[in-house]
Amino acid sequence: MQITKAIFVKSSPDEKGCPKPDKPEYAFIGRSNVGKSSLINSLCHKKDLAKTSAKPGKTQLINHFLINDTWYLVDLPGYGYARTSKSNLEKFEALISEYIITRKNLICLFILIDSRLEMQNIDAEFMEWCADKEIPFCIVFTKSDKLTRNQLNTNIFKYTNQLKKNWEELPPYFITSAETGAGKEDLMNYIGENLQYFVAP
Ligand code: GTP
Ligand code: MG
């Protein structure tokens, strides 16, 4: 699967505002600053399609991109970044969880994890939540260019071992870099192969 066309469609504050769910959709989620928007740009071969920033909390709405005129990529705001008051944060997280639970055309969520870090509670809790709600997800390790091959292998080994303690089966996972393009081909192949599972609502 190659992306030959990527167009920004719209930013929505909630699921109701999203485009009609008439095309298959994949969404990128993960902690603020993990590299969601950068990876989307890298997959689409465009620098500024999704807005990125060195400061966490850049993406604050549900952003839809139409790919090859046939499916959607979605850039979601990061979790775990307290932008405002606790009640605002709870409201924001409720909107994102509503999107994930309600969105009928969502084929799979890509949960992005910084490959430099040990498992964070917030990510583990989010994966538990997805399993509880029966939301299919994959893990995408990001920023692999920031580690040596040895460090990277060690970290992924530790992370997946940790996952195996809680899960019978590992979810599919990809090791990527928006900088070097590592892992992009595997990720795109996965996306291409799973488009067929879309059933028009
Ligand atoms: P929010 O929208 O705030 O949730 O963040 P995000 O997850 O969309 O992260 P974003 O793509 O904006 O990237 C955050 C920072 O990490 C930026 O400074 C990027 O340049 C940097 N970054 C993202 N991906 C990579 C990568 O693969 N390698 C390196 N070296 N830096 C990266
Ligand atoms: Mg972003």
Side-chain angles (χ1 to χ4, degrees):
M1 157 72 62
Q2 289 284 339
I3 293 183
T4 50
K5 195 171 169 190
I7 297 168
F8 168 73
V9 180
K10 72 181 294 201
S11 298
S12 322
D14 54 24
E15 198 272 334
K16 283 181 199 70
C18 290
K20 243 172 63 186
D22 58 356
K23 294 179 182 65
E25 179 158 315
Y26 294 90
F28 282 38
I29 196 162
R31 292 194 309 138
S32 278
N33 219 38
V34 69
K36 299 174 290 294
S37 303
S38 302
L39 191 58
I40 287 177
N41 287 339
S42 175
L43 291 173
C44 296
H45 323 284
K46 285 194 176 182
K47 252 188 146 183
D48 294 313
L49 186 67
K51 298 282 169 283
T52 66
S53 165
K55 281 194 225 132
K58 179 68 185 174
T59 309
Q60 302 206 350
L61 293 163
I62 302 169
N63 297 295
H64 275 79
F65 302 96
L66 179 61
I67 310 298
N68 297 350
D69 295 322
T70 48
W71 53 280
Y72 289 120
L73 256 186
V74 177
D75 189 15
L76 292 172
Y79 52 72
Y81 171 62
R83 294 170 303 155
T84 45
S85 67
K86 191 154 185 271
S87 64
N88 267 346
L89 186 69
E90 278 167 6
K91 197 171 143 207
F92 158 83
E93 288 183 345
L95 286 174
I96 298 306
S97 40
E98 187 217 15
Y99 159 82
I100 296 170
I101 293 168
T102 319
R103 194 73 176 151
K104 291 192 177 64
N105 56 336
L106 185 65
I107 293 194
C108 171
L109 257 187
F110 291 112
I111 303 178
L112 274 62
I113 302 284
D114 190 323
S115 59
R116 296 170 297 179
L117 304 180
E118 286 181 10
M119 191 180 287
Q120 308 285 299
N121 282 340
I122 193 163
D123 294 319
E125 282 164 16
F126 183 68
M127 288 183 230
E128 292 285 345
W129 180 85
C130 287
D132 191 46
K133 304 287 180 204
E134 298 183 352
I135 308 293
F137 69 86
C138 296
I139 293 179
V140 178
F141 293 102
T142 62
K143 309 192 186 184
S144 65
D145 60 284
K146 295 217 179 198
L147 295 170
T148 65
R149 180 163 288 274
N150 263 342
Q151 287 170 327
L152 184 64
N153 287 342
T154 307
N155 284 8
I156 304 300
F157 182 75
K158 278 192 191 155
Y159 204 100
T160 50
N161 268 344
Q162 185 80 27
L163 283 172
K164 282 181 199 160
K165 286 185 190 158
N166 302 331
W167 303 83
E168 262 172 49
E169 217 180 298
L170 279 182
Y173 67 91
F174 305 91
I175 304 168
T176 69
S177 163
E179 285 286 317
T180 65
K184 267 168 48 174
E185 201 180 324
D186 287 347
L187 189 54
M188 287 313 305
N189 287 341
Y190 182 87
I191 287 177
E193 283 161 15
N194 284 275
L195 283 173
Q196 59 176 314
Y197 296 114
F198 172 68
V199 183

